Amino acid sequence: MEKITGIPASLGFISGKALLYFENIFPEIPRTDVLPEHAPDEVRRLDNAIRDAGAELAVIHERAVQEASKEQADIFSAHLLMLNDPIFRDQLLERFRESFVSIEWVVWDVAREMMQKMMSSPDPLFRERAADINDVSKRLLQHLLSIKRSSLAEVEEDVIVVAHDLLPSEILTMNRRRVKGIVMDAGSRTSHTAILARAFNIPAVVGLAHGTKIIKDGDTLIVNGRTGEVLVNPGKQDLANFKKTATVYHKQMEEFQSLRELPAETLDGGRVMMNANIEIPEEAERVLQYGAEGIGLYRSEFLFLTPGRSAEEEQQYRSYTKVLTAMGVRPVTIRTVDIGGDKILPDFQSGDEKNPLLGWRAIRFSLALPELFKTQLRAILRASVSGNAKIMFPLVSGIEEIEQALVLLEEARSECRSAGQPFAEHIEVGIMIEVPSAAVTADILAERADFFSVGTNDLVQYSLAVDRGNERISYLAQPTHPAVLRLLKHTIDSAHRRGIKAAMCGEMAGNPKCTALLLGLGLDEFSMAAQSIPPVKRIVRSVKMVDCRNLADAVLRGISWEQNGSLVDEWMMEHCPGETTV
Ligand code: PEP
Ligand code: MG
């Protein structure tokens, strides 16, 4: 047995078989001349590959129908249609007869040409098709070149995925019924892969650095999403201990259910709001089971990031309506897309920026593409009649960006009016505070925003210069660093001076160790992964606001995150012992 420890990224305990996952890397495609007398062999090879790839796709499609979402099944049926389209085969054969080169080269060449044409089309539907062509041609090539394919969408048995890193799109498309746990070399608690693992309730440990070197395919693993421990090939005793711990954990989860209907109120009557963060519309119903009072952050960009699908206005409208309807009168804060950084949208971005986290991201991206931005704003406006929608702009760095975004929002409103599309008259429009310049000028920005929501994942990243996805320096990403706390205090105080609410939707809001400190700083609304609501709410209900203020005062005088961390720990031991062990 070997024990490796990483960063706990998504709660839960799981034991199972490891599936070592490496991104499919393609070898160079051979381009060899074919003698005319061998032409029929090449045509036969193509037909065999089409037949085998088709049979494979039919099985995958059937499984997706049974086990995955309709959306995933639709992707595979579109691939099947394309693969069996006689026009596609004719195109390949025509190119082959013109060139008499190996058929795999022809497949690659034709597919590349088709993709280029589709990508340069102004019609987003065509651009979507480029991703399908990419996938279908790769599948064909895998059969022609006898490459064993491994795709997380096609996992057939229960596994714990072990990877160096996973793209958000890979988590979005994997077979979530079969992937029972995730273990990664890269990443931190606030990386987007970790956020998605929590969204899907899949226990995960990230930042293991060498996990893929230590773990072998088929090894038995125990993953502890609370402590970050991964046991490789555990012995009998370890398995017995695991079962005991898992039972205690599940019991605790059941106990948390009793908190669902109770208010997030301190012993001396301080009331705050407990909201949930969501990434996909399907999560909305689940968050209510954890007692969410609303959605404080809907990361709408994940609608765009599902491979092969771009979010048209109608599709967006339906998704927002679904979430708003599920939440009834409860508020739903839809954040306009935060594309860029580690969430690249290949239709629009080449992914070759030198500093993507300081680059064309979030509100900068939306303001540069006003038509795309207005499409999203119209979809939100139209959906707003189905519930209590709020709009939030991400990564604002100064007042100009808010003003420009508000102008476009006004244009979107006029467009809806002209089209006779109703929308809610009053929609609160807020901003995320996640860039140090926004926090420092919060008093100025408060004049233009209906609310603030602090994104500590980015605020910590940018104020401490710590890449949130880099496991080597993740120990520096400390929200109790005096610099972060000063920014937080200034932000919350500025909001209150202007009479608007200060919320937080970064990971700090869901960290039970920080709950009392945030109460003391005056935070009004907490938004977090749904699974974190019960433990955080339990702390709120077991402390007094007056004590929390004293804690905040003491911590604000601290000189380092280490000192502040100890202060908070001691305070917790004294005021609510045992409460942070979730
Ligand atoms: C944040 O930065 O804290 C945040 C909530 O936004 P995201 O994690 O999506 O960047
Ligand atoms: Mg952010």
Side-chain angles (χ1 to χ4, degrees):
M1 193 276 286
E2 187 163 357
K3 181 162 93 182
I4 41 181
T5 306
I7 301 164
S10 178
L11 284 177
F13 296 82
I14 192 80
S15 75
K17 214 165 99 177
L19 170 77
L20 227 56
Y21 172 77
F22 294 103
E23 210 204 332
N24 291 304
I25 299 164
F26 261 77
E28 204 161 309
I29 312 292
R31 187 188 194 285
T32 47
D33 290 337
V34 173
L35 295 172
E37 61 265 35
H38 292 147
D41 295 339
E42 289 299 282
V43 176
R44 209 169 306 121
R45 285 184 63 226
L46 174 68
D47 285 338
N48 288 346
I50 291 179
R51 182 198 61 209
D52 295 346
E56 186 180 82
L57 269 174
V59 173
I60 298 165
H61 173 253
E62 191 46 41
R63 202 178 40 245
V65 170
Q66 307 288 340
E67 296 189 352
S69 66
K70 183 180 174 312
E71 274 217 319
Q72 270 186 18
D74 286 350
I75 294 176
F76 294 120
S77 66
H79 290 182
L80 254 176
L81 270 179
M82 185 184 299
L83 185 72
N84 292 324
D85 184 350
I87 300 174
F88 180 50
R89 180 177 178 274
D90 288 350
Q91 244 175 314
L92 296 174
L93 291 183
E94 197 182 311
R95 179 68 53 87
F96 174 63
R97 287 190 197 107
E98 283 163 13
S99 59
F100 276 98
V101 290
S102 42
I103 198 72
E104 38 277 78
W105 174 270
V106 171
V107 169
W108 186 72
D109 201 31
V110 170
R112 193 179 44 168
E113 199 178 285
M114 285 166 80
M115 280 193 291
Q116 272 164 2
K117 263 195 210 140
M118 303 265 176
M119 290 293 282
S120 55
S121 161
D123 184 341
L125 282 177
F126 275 99
R127 293 202 300 270
E128 267 176 39
R129 296 265 298 171
D132 291 333
I133 293 169
N134 184 32
D135 213 275
V136 170
S137 59
K138 275 193 174 161
R139 191 177 292 277
L140 253 184
L141 284 170
Q142 275 158 339
H143 282 272
L144 285 166
L145 298 165
S146 304
I147 300 170
K148 198 170 167 284
R149 184 183 171 103
S150 70
S151 151
L152 294 181
E154 297 165 27
V155 172
E156 287 175 15
E157 50 177 351
D158 290 357
V159 290
I160 294 172
V161 170
V162 180
H164 175 69
D165 201 359
L166 290 173
L167 294 172
S169 58
E170 286 171 308
I171 297 216
L172 283 167
T173 52
M174 72 189 182
N175 184 351
R176 297 199 288 268
R177 291 237 179 139
R178 295 297 188 185
V179 176
K180 299 292 181 190
I182 294 175
V183 166
M184 270 181 15
D185 292 344
S188 69
R189 215 188 124 72
T190 59
S191 60
H192 287 103
T193 318
I195 288 170
L196 283 176
R198 286 195 288 281
F200 298 138
N201 241 356
I202 301 175
V205 172
V206 300
L208 278 164
H210 301 298
T212 51
K213 294 212 175 77
I214 296 164
I215 301 167
K216 290 188 202 61
D217 209 43
D219 276 352
T220 300
L221 303 181
I222 288 179
V223 177
N224 185 333
R226 179 166 68 80
T227 60
E229 285 168 359
V230 178
L231 305 189
V232 188
N233 293 324
K236 266 196 188 137
Q237 191 52 47
D238 300 312
L239 280 166
N241 291 345
F242 159 72
K243 281 201 181 116
K244 261 193 229 150
T245 324
T247 313
V248 172
Y249 170 74
H250 288 124
K251 232 172 126 197
Q252 195 178 33
M253 288 295 130
E254 276 162 26
E255 276 166 33
F256 280 156
Q257 285 302 314
S258 59
L259 289 175
R260 194 164 69 191
E261 306 299 332
L262 299 175
E265 190 173 300
T266 59
L267 294 173
D268 51 354
R271 179 74 163 92
V272 288
M273 232 170 121
M274 288 285 128
N275 292 332
N277 295 349
I278 65 165
E279 285 67 37
I280 52 167
E282 290 73 25
E283 274 182 276
E285 277 154 25
R286 197 167 61 84
V287 305
L288 293 174
Q289 293 162 17
Y290 289 90
E293 296 177 84
I295 288 176
L297 168 65
Y298 173 9
R299 290 182 165 99
S300 67
E301 60 274 10
F302 288 104
L303 276 176
F304 292 72
L305 291 166
T306 304
R309 297 285 167 265
S310 79
E312 295 309 297
E313 183 172 329
E314 286 312 303
Q315 197 183 330
Q316 288 192 57
Y317 165 69
R318 279 198 300 276
S319 301
Y320 304 146
T321 302
K322 185 172 177 171
V323 175
L324 284 158
T325 310
M327 296 304 289
V329 292
R330 298 174 187 88
V332 174
T333 310
I334 303 173
R335 174 175 80 180
T336 59
V337 294
D338 182 359
I339 296 286
D342 64 342
K343 291 177 283 193
I344 297 295
L345 193 61
D347 275 8
F348 296 96
Q349 294 172 311
S350 57
D352 60 0
E353 286 189 34
K354 287 229 166 62
N355 288 304
L357 290 170
L358 300 179
W360 201 40
R361 187 186 157 186
I363 194 69
R364 303 164 183 189
F365 172 87
S366 292
L367 291 175
L369 298 170
E371 288 313 314
L372 191 78
F373 190 33
K374 281 197 288 175
T375 303
Q376 171 161 45
L377 295 172
R378 282 194 307 272
I380 301 174
L381 287 171
R382 288 171 53 203
S384 67
V385 293
S386 298
N388 181 0
K390 296 185 185 191
I391 296 176
M392 179 158 75
F393 301 130
L395 213 83
V396 166
S397 62
I399 199 149
E400 297 83 353
E401 285 164 333
I402 309 179
E403 282 170 350
Q404 287 167 33
L406 289 176
V407 168
L408 291 168
L409 178 59
E410 215 31 64
E411 285 181 23
R413 281 198 178 102
S414 314
E415 286 162 12
C416 286
R417 268 187 216 109
S418 315
Q421 293 160 328
F423 54 87
E425 264 319 304
H426 184 70
I427 298 179
E428 283 188 32
V429 182
I431 59 165
M432 290 197 67
I433 302 289
E434 46 188 352
V435 179
S437 63
V440 171
T441 58
D443 50 327
I444 300 173
L445 304 188
E447 299 293 323
R448 290 285 188 285
D450 294 330
F451 63 91
F452 285 161
S453 186
V454 186
T456 46
N457 307 340
D458 278 315
L459 189 61
V460 169
Q461 158 166 270
Y462 294 126
S463 54
L464 304 182
V466 178
D467 177 348
R468 62 194 268 190
N470 186 338
E471 73 281 1
R472 294 177 93 167
I473 46 164
S474 60
Y475 70 96
L476 285 172
Q478 298 292 345
T480 54
H481 189 294
V484 178
L485 294 180
R486 288 179 192 190
L487 293 175
L488 276 181
K489 174 151 175 58
H490 180 62
T491 301
I492 295 171
D493 290 351
S494 301
H496 290 166
R497 253 179 245 124
R498 176 86 186 105
I500 62 172
K501 289 262 178 349
M504 179 181 286
C505 58
E507 286 306 315
M508 187 183 189
N511 181 350
K513 273 196 182 169
C514 299
T515 307
L517 175 60
L518 292 174
L519 287 170
L521 285 170
L523 194 71
D524 303 298
E525 297 183 7
F526 293 62
S527 192
M528 63 200 83
Q531 55 177 224
S532 301
I533 292 178
V536 170
K537 194 199 268 187
R538 200 161 69 167
I539 293 188
V540 172
R541 292 180 56 80
S542 61
V543 295
K544 283 194 183 144
M545 200 59 110
V546 59
D547 295 333
C548 295
R549 285 197 194 110
N550 290 338
L551 168 69
D553 285 347
V555 172
L556 281 167
R557 287 193 298 271
I559 60 161
S560 70
W561 58 261
E562 271 185 339
Q563 190 191 59
N564 289 342
S566 309
L567 267 172
V568 172
D569 284 345
E570 283 160 24
W571 191 95
M572 291 293 288
M573 288 294 279
E574 190 189 333
H575 291 83
C576 34
E579 282 294 341
T580 56
T581 51
V582 184

